[in-house]
Amino acid sequence: MATTNPLQFLQQVRAEVSKVVWPSRREVVITSIMVFVMAIITAIFFFFVDWLIRIGLQNLLGMF
């Protein structure tokens, strides 16, 4: 197992961080809006699935 001293490690970390491409403010805003919209759509979908299952079970159990 190769070991490096702390100074080399920090230099390597700095070199890797400089390779990171950070998103623009516009990209962050658009992506955040997309996440919220998808979360709302998913919540609505599962609300209706839950509602249909509940109605189905109530009708099924109401027969007995």
Side-chain angles (χ1 to χ4, degrees):
M1 181 173 170
T3 59
T4 59
N5 66 32
L7 183 59
Q8 287 176 332
F9 175 75
L10 290 176
Q11 288 172 342
Q12 291 172 358
V13 167
R14 184 176 224 173
E16 290 299 319
V17 168
S18 68
K19 296 177 187 177
V20 173
V21 178
W22 297 99
S24 68
R25 183 177 187 90
R26 184 174 187 270
E27 290 173 328
V28 171
V29 169
I30 290 172
T31 305
S32 298
I33 291 170
M34 288 172 50
V35 167
F36 286 124
V37 168
M38 290 305 294
I40 290 168
I41 290 170
T42 303
I44 292 169
F45 171 76
F46 282 113
F47 170 79
F48 282 113
V49 168
D50 180 56
W51 179 72
L52 289 173
I53 290 172
R54 184 178 24 166
I55 295 297
L57 282 175
Q58 285 176 346
N59 288 337
L60 181 66
L61 294 174
M63 288 185 214
F64 299 108

